[in-house]
Amino acid sequence: MRRSWALGASLAILALGFTAGIASAQDPAASFPNKPIRMVVGFAAGGGNDIFARLIQNELQKRTGWTVVIENKPGAGGRLSAEQVAREPADGYTILVGASGAMVIGPLIYKTEYDTLKSFTPVTMIGDFPLFLAVSADHPAKTAKELVAWTKANTGKANYATSSPAFTLPTELFKMRSGANGTAIPYKSSAESILGVVSGNAAMTVVDPPPLVSQVQGGKMRALAVLATERFPDLPDVPTMAESGFPDVNVSLFSGFFVPAGTPKPIVDKIHKELHTVIMNSDVTGKLRGMAVRPKGSGPEEFAKIIADEQKLWSEVIKAGNLKFGN
């Protein structure tokens, strides 16, 4: 009788283990993560995307107890890191921090080894930030409409400073939908683009907030319009493009998290849940807003749609303008 009871107990334990094994196989997120997660950033340490990643990494580790390791792989505007992560196993243990330039625009204009929505699953947007149309403080144009008129009357002087396709395409969109003229003059960074305008070597620029706000507040630059649906808190007197008469010029750049395509949905959902909670934490939100970023924490499907819509828009701009970009 005792031997029969022992055998029954052993079989019950085996059955429980077998059932647990089946449940674990059916839910790959149950034991995730059981080793360190790599967070690959396509830019050098100290840059905006790296700062975002380290802020979120720190809070994510404190909240979950996960081990998350930052790996910087700069180069080609974030495309090198994207190509690397696209080749990684689809198991959730490698997360890419990707920006608009590499994830939306890059595959449209360069020969990349990845197609964003085929090679990756978007997890969540960290946030986005608006762009501004700006001129030097002594430029005669006081509004976006006045600038358009000025470019038509001064075709020989109409040019714009740009540091990457992420700024060139919004400027070309503005030109297409406003009738403005302007030839691109390349610079190495947003800060250099602004200096080009201040020095008079370029007439205008479309640029991100961090290098612009202090120049506007210091009286060296004039922001004519923000390419967004709402005004920017740090420059509240600057009208939106819609308020300026150009409602269909609405552009922002983003930074977000991606995993290789094929990553099991339960794992994607688990990563998203934790990242969303961290991003929308009041301390993190406050720090992001302090860097001119509007926190989002969007879901995978919403994020994927944003990318698809933006790629459609920029494909149309590239085709209409017959735009070519060097590597």
Side-chain angles (χ1 to χ4, degrees):
M1 190 72 168
R2 187 175 297 170
R3 187 176 296 173
S4 175
W5 178 88
L7 177 61
S10 297
L11 290 173
I13 291 170
L14 286 172
L16 285 172
F18 181 71
T19 302
I22 292 176
S24 178
Q26 291 176 341
D27 181 11
S31 61
F32 178 88
N34 55 28
K35 64 180 181 179
I37 296 172
R38 293 162 58 223
M39 191 174 283
V40 181
V41 182
F43 302 89
N49 286 276
D50 178 72
I51 294 172
F52 305 155
R54 292 180 189 277
L55 169 64
I56 292 167
Q57 170 213 27
N58 182 53
E59 294 298 325
L60 183 63
Q61 290 187 135
K62 287 195 297 185
R63 170 180 163 76
T64 63
W66 298 355
T67 299
V68 182
V69 180
I70 298 287
E71 179 182 312
N72 294 92
K73 188 177 179 62
R79 300 191 302 280
L80 289 183
S81 63
E83 290 176 346
Q84 173 187 316
V85 173
R87 296 191 293 265
E88 295 290 336
D91 56 9
Y93 287 97
T94 306
I95 300 175
L96 174 68
V97 179
S100 295
M103 308 311 291
V104 174
I105 299 171
L108 301 179
I109 62 178
Y110 300 117
K111 292 181 179 179
T112 61
E113 296 178 11
Y114 62 91
D115 179 318
T116 300
L117 293 179
K118 293 180 180 178
S119 304
F120 298 95
T121 296
V123 179
T124 185
M125 187 188 295
I126 297 170
D128 65 3
F129 51 89
L131 301 178
F132 285 85
L133 175 66
V135 296
S136 65
D138 58 3
H139 195 284
K142 301 295 192 297
T143 66
K145 281 191 173 181
E146 288 182 4
L147 179 62
V148 172
W150 181 89
T151 64
K152 292 178 178 179
N154 296 270
T155 53
K157 299 178 182 179
N159 52 36
Y160 66 89
T162 178
S163 58
S164 77
F167 299 108
T168 302
L169 291 179
T171 311
E172 291 293 327
L173 176 67
F174 170 66
K175 286 170 53 185
M176 288 171 53
R177 294 185 172 174
S178 69
N181 293 315
T183 302
I185 300 179
Y187 286 85
K188 294 181 179 179
S189 68
S190 295
E192 289 190 13
S193 292
I194 289 172
L195 291 177
V197 174
V198 171
S199 66
N201 291 323
M204 58 184 172
T205 188
V206 167
V207 71
D208 49 328
L212 177 67
V213 172
S214 62
Q215 297 291 334
V216 172
Q217 294 173 340
K220 293 184 178 180
M221 291 284 288
R222 178 185 302 124
L224 302 182
V226 58
L227 284 66
T229 56
E230 58 187 29
R231 295 194 180 198
F232 186 66
D234 289 354
L235 297 174
D237 295 331
V238 179
T240 64
M241 273 291 182
E243 292 171 327
S244 302
F246 307 107
D248 51 357
V249 182
N250 178 20
V251 179
S252 61
L253 300 180
F254 69 72
S255 182
F257 291 108
F258 300 79
V259 292
T263 301
K265 188 175 185 302
I267 290 179
V268 174
D269 291 342
K270 188 171 186 177
I271 295 172
H272 168 261
K273 177 185 176 183
E274 299 300 342
L275 287 174
H276 172 84
T277 301
V278 168
I279 292 167
M280 302 315 293
N281 173 279
S282 58
D283 288 342
V284 174
T285 296
K287 290 175 181 177
L288 289 173
R289 290 192 183 281
M291 293 183 281
V293 175
R294 299 177 294 193
K296 295 294 182 180
S298 53
E301 294 78 13
E302 178 188 356
F303 193 15
K305 184 178 186 306
I306 289 170
I307 293 169
D309 290 346
E310 289 191 4
Q311 287 196 319
K312 181 176 183 295
L313 170 64
W314 296 133
S315 294
E316 293 170 353
V317 172
I318 291 167
K319 182 177 180 180
N322 193 28
L323 303 176
K324 308 293 182 183
F325 298 88
N327 290 328

